[in-house]
Short mmCIF file of all heavy atoms in Angstrom, two decimals:
data_model
loop_
_atom_site.label_atom_id
_atom_site.label_comp_id
_atom_site.label_asym_id
_atom_site.label_seq_id
_atom_site.Cartn_x
_atom_site.Cartn_y
_atom_site.Cartn_z
N SER A 109 -10.61 4.82 6.71
CA SER A 109 -11.58 5.40 7.64
C SER A 109 -10.91 6.36 8.59
O SER A 109 -11.45 7.45 8.88
CB SER A 109 -12.30 4.27 8.42
OG SER A 109 -13.20 4.81 9.36
N ALA A 110 -9.74 5.99 9.10
CA ALA A 110 -9.01 6.88 10.01
C ALA A 110 -8.59 8.15 9.29
O ALA A 110 -8.64 9.27 9.84
CB ALA A 110 -7.79 6.15 10.58
N TYR A 111 -8.14 8.03 8.06
CA TYR A 111 -7.72 9.18 7.27
C TYR A 111 -8.89 10.15 7.08
O TYR A 111 -8.71 11.37 7.15
CB TYR A 111 -7.17 8.72 5.91
CG TYR A 111 -6.63 9.84 5.07
CD1 TYR A 111 -5.32 10.27 5.23
CD2 TYR A 111 -7.40 10.44 4.11
CE1 TYR A 111 -4.80 11.29 4.46
CE2 TYR A 111 -6.91 11.46 3.33
CZ TYR A 111 -5.61 11.89 3.50
OH TYR A 111 -5.11 12.91 2.73
N ILE A 112 -10.07 9.62 6.79
CA ILE A 112 -11.25 10.46 6.60
C ILE A 112 -11.54 11.27 7.87
O ILE A 112 -11.98 12.41 7.83
CB ILE A 112 -12.47 9.60 6.21
CG1 ILE A 112 -12.24 9.03 4.80
CG2 ILE A 112 -13.76 10.39 6.26
CD1 ILE A 112 -13.28 8.02 4.38
N LEU A 113 -11.26 10.66 9.04
CA LEU A 113 -11.46 11.37 10.31
C LEU A 113 -10.36 12.37 10.60
O LEU A 113 -10.45 13.09 11.59
CB LEU A 113 -11.50 10.33 11.48
CG LEU A 113 -12.81 9.60 11.69
CD1 LEU A 113 -12.62 8.57 12.79
CD2 LEU A 113 -13.93 10.56 12.06
N GLY A 114 -9.33 12.42 9.73
CA GLY A 114 -8.22 13.33 9.96
C GLY A 114 -7.11 12.70 10.80
O GLY A 114 -6.20 13.40 11.24
N GLN A 115 -7.16 11.37 11.00
CA GLN A 115 -6.15 10.67 11.79
C GLN A 115 -5.10 10.07 10.85
O GLN A 115 -4.98 8.85 10.69
CB GLN A 115 -6.82 9.60 12.64
CG GLN A 115 -7.84 10.13 13.60
CD GLN A 115 -8.64 9.02 14.29
OE1 GLN A 115 -8.41 7.84 14.06
NE2 GLN A 115 -9.58 9.40 15.14
N ALA A 116 -4.35 10.97 10.19
CA ALA A 116 -3.41 10.51 9.19
C ALA A 116 -2.31 9.65 9.76
O ALA A 116 -1.83 8.69 9.13
CB ALA A 116 -2.82 11.71 8.45
N LYS A 117 -1.83 9.96 10.98
CA LYS A 117 -0.78 9.22 11.59
C LYS A 117 -1.24 7.80 11.91
O LYS A 117 -0.50 6.81 11.70
CB LYS A 117 -0.29 9.90 12.85
CG LYS A 117 1.05 9.39 13.38
CD LYS A 117 2.16 9.63 12.37
CE LYS A 117 3.50 9.09 12.86
NZ LYS A 117 4.54 9.19 11.84
N THR A 118 -2.47 7.64 12.38
CA THR A 118 -3.01 6.31 12.65
C THR A 118 -3.13 5.51 11.36
O THR A 118 -2.77 4.32 11.28
CB THR A 118 -4.40 6.42 13.33
OG1 THR A 118 -4.25 7.08 14.56
CG2 THR A 118 -5.02 5.05 13.55
N ALA A 119 -3.62 6.21 10.32
CA ALA A 119 -3.76 5.55 9.02
C ALA A 119 -2.41 5.09 8.50
O ALA A 119 -2.28 3.98 7.98
CB ALA A 119 -4.43 6.49 8.04
N GLU A 120 -1.40 5.95 8.63
CA GLU A 120 -0.07 5.61 8.14
C GLU A 120 0.50 4.41 8.87
O GLU A 120 1.14 3.54 8.29
CB GLU A 120 0.86 6.81 8.29
CG GLU A 120 2.24 6.63 7.65
CD GLU A 120 3.22 5.88 8.57
OE1 GLU A 120 3.08 6.04 9.81
OE2 GLU A 120 4.07 5.12 8.06
N GLY A 121 0.25 4.31 10.19
CA GLY A 121 0.74 3.17 10.98
C GLY A 121 0.18 1.87 10.49
O GLY A 121 0.89 0.84 10.39
N ARG A 122 -1.10 1.86 10.11
CA ARG A 122 -1.74 0.62 9.65
C ARG A 122 -1.25 0.27 8.26
O ARG A 122 -1.03 -0.93 7.94
CB ARG A 122 -3.26 0.79 9.69
CG ARG A 122 -3.76 0.86 11.12
CD ARG A 122 -5.23 1.20 11.21
NE ARG A 122 -5.59 1.42 12.61
CZ ARG A 122 -6.75 1.89 13.02
NH1 ARG A 122 -7.70 2.17 12.10
NH2 ARG A 122 -7.01 2.07 14.29
N VAL A 123 -1.05 1.25 7.40
CA VAL A 123 -0.51 1.00 6.09
C VAL A 123 0.92 0.51 6.17
O VAL A 123 1.35 -0.38 5.45
CB VAL A 123 -0.62 2.25 5.21
CG1 VAL A 123 0.13 2.09 3.90
CG2 VAL A 123 -2.10 2.58 4.91
N SER A 124 1.69 1.15 7.05
CA SER A 124 3.08 0.76 7.25
C SER A 124 3.18 -0.71 7.70
O SER A 124 4.09 -1.43 7.26
CB SER A 124 3.75 1.65 8.27
OG SER A 124 5.08 1.28 8.52
N PHE A 125 2.23 -1.14 8.52
CA PHE A 125 2.23 -2.54 8.95
C PHE A 125 2.07 -3.48 7.74
O PHE A 125 2.77 -4.49 7.66
CB PHE A 125 1.07 -2.77 9.93
CG PHE A 125 0.85 -4.22 10.28
CD1 PHE A 125 1.68 -4.86 11.19
CD2 PHE A 125 -0.17 -4.94 9.69
CE1 PHE A 125 1.46 -6.20 11.51
CE2 PHE A 125 -0.37 -6.28 9.99
CZ PHE A 125 0.44 -6.89 10.91
N LEU A 126 1.20 -3.10 6.82
CA LEU A 126 1.01 -3.93 5.63
C LEU A 126 2.26 -3.97 4.76
O LEU A 126 2.61 -5.02 4.22
CB LEU A 126 -0.17 -3.41 4.81
CG LEU A 126 -1.56 -3.55 5.46
CD1 LEU A 126 -2.62 -2.91 4.57
CD2 LEU A 126 -1.89 -5.02 5.72
N LEU A 127 2.92 -2.84 4.62
CA LEU A 127 4.13 -2.81 3.82
C LEU A 127 5.25 -3.62 4.45
O LEU A 127 6.03 -4.30 3.78
CB LEU A 127 4.60 -1.36 3.62
CG LEU A 127 3.67 -0.47 2.79
CD1 LEU A 127 4.14 0.97 2.80
CD2 LEU A 127 3.59 -0.99 1.35
N GLN A 128 5.32 -3.60 5.80
CA GLN A 128 6.31 -4.41 6.51
C GLN A 128 6.04 -5.88 6.35
O GLN A 128 6.98 -6.72 6.40
CB GLN A 128 6.31 -4.04 8.00
CG GLN A 128 6.87 -2.67 8.30
CD GLN A 128 6.62 -2.23 9.73
OE1 GLN A 128 6.17 -3.02 10.56
NE2 GLN A 128 6.89 -0.98 10.03
N GLN A 129 4.78 -6.24 6.11
CA GLN A 129 4.42 -7.63 5.90
C GLN A 129 4.70 -8.08 4.46
O GLN A 129 4.47 -9.24 4.09
CB GLN A 129 2.94 -7.87 6.20
CG GLN A 129 2.55 -7.54 7.65
CD GLN A 129 3.29 -8.43 8.64
OE1 GLN A 129 3.31 -9.64 8.52
NE2 GLN A 129 3.91 -7.80 9.63
N GLY A 130 5.18 -7.17 3.64
CA GLY A 130 5.54 -7.50 2.25
C GLY A 130 4.41 -7.38 1.26
O GLY A 130 4.51 -7.87 0.14
N LEU A 131 3.32 -6.71 1.65
CA LEU A 131 2.19 -6.54 0.73
C LEU A 131 2.56 -5.46 -0.28
O LEU A 131 2.76 -4.30 0.06
CB LEU A 131 0.93 -6.12 1.52
CG LEU A 131 -0.37 -6.17 0.70
CD1 LEU A 131 -0.68 -7.60 0.29
CD2 LEU A 131 -1.52 -5.61 1.53
N ASP A 132 2.65 -5.83 -1.54
CA ASP A 132 3.10 -4.93 -2.61
C ASP A 132 1.93 -4.47 -3.46
O ASP A 132 2.01 -4.46 -4.69
CB ASP A 132 4.14 -5.68 -3.48
CG ASP A 132 5.12 -4.70 -4.11
OD1 ASP A 132 5.22 -3.54 -3.67
OD2 ASP A 132 5.79 -5.10 -5.10
N ASP A 133 0.83 -4.09 -2.81
CA ASP A 133 -0.38 -3.72 -3.53
C ASP A 133 -0.40 -2.21 -3.78
O ASP A 133 -0.02 -1.42 -2.90
CB ASP A 133 -1.59 -4.13 -2.67
CG ASP A 133 -2.90 -3.87 -3.39
OD1 ASP A 133 -3.28 -4.72 -4.23
OD2 ASP A 133 -3.54 -2.84 -3.10
N PHE A 134 -0.88 -1.81 -4.96
CA PHE A 134 -0.86 -0.39 -5.31
C PHE A 134 -1.74 0.42 -4.38
O PHE A 134 -1.39 1.55 -4.00
CB PHE A 134 -1.30 -0.18 -6.77
CG PHE A 134 -1.50 1.26 -7.10
CD1 PHE A 134 -0.39 2.13 -7.16
CD2 PHE A 134 -2.75 1.79 -7.31
CE1 PHE A 134 -0.56 3.49 -7.46
CE2 PHE A 134 -2.92 3.15 -7.60
CZ PHE A 134 -1.84 3.99 -7.69
N ASP A 135 -2.91 -0.09 -4.00
CA ASP A 135 -3.79 0.65 -3.11
C ASP A 135 -3.11 0.98 -1.80
O ASP A 135 -3.32 2.05 -1.23
CB ASP A 135 -5.08 -0.16 -2.86
CG ASP A 135 -5.94 -0.24 -4.09
OD1 ASP A 135 -5.82 0.62 -4.96
OD2 ASP A 135 -6.76 -1.18 -4.19
N VAL A 136 -2.30 0.04 -1.30
CA VAL A 136 -1.58 0.27 -0.06
C VAL A 136 -0.53 1.37 -0.25
O VAL A 136 -0.38 2.29 0.57
CB VAL A 136 -0.92 -1.02 0.45
CG1 VAL A 136 -0.09 -0.78 1.70
CG2 VAL A 136 -1.97 -2.09 0.70
#
C-alpha cells in the first residue's frame, strides 16, 4: 500500500523488518 502511494522507502523498511525476522518468502 505504501509503495502504491509512492512511499518506496517506507515500504522497504517494512519489508526489511520481515527479512530481519528470517521470513524467507518469495513475495517479501
Side-chain angles (χ1 to χ4, degrees):
S109 177
Y111 183 85
I112 292 172
L113 279 176
Q115 301 171 0
K117 195 63 182 174
T118 298
E120 186 277 327
R122 292 173 186 171
V123 171
S124 178
F125 172 79
L126 292 177
L127 293 174
Q128 290 169 8
Q129 299 300 308
L131 191 65
D132 207 17
D133 185 80
F134 172 69
D135 291 337
V136 177

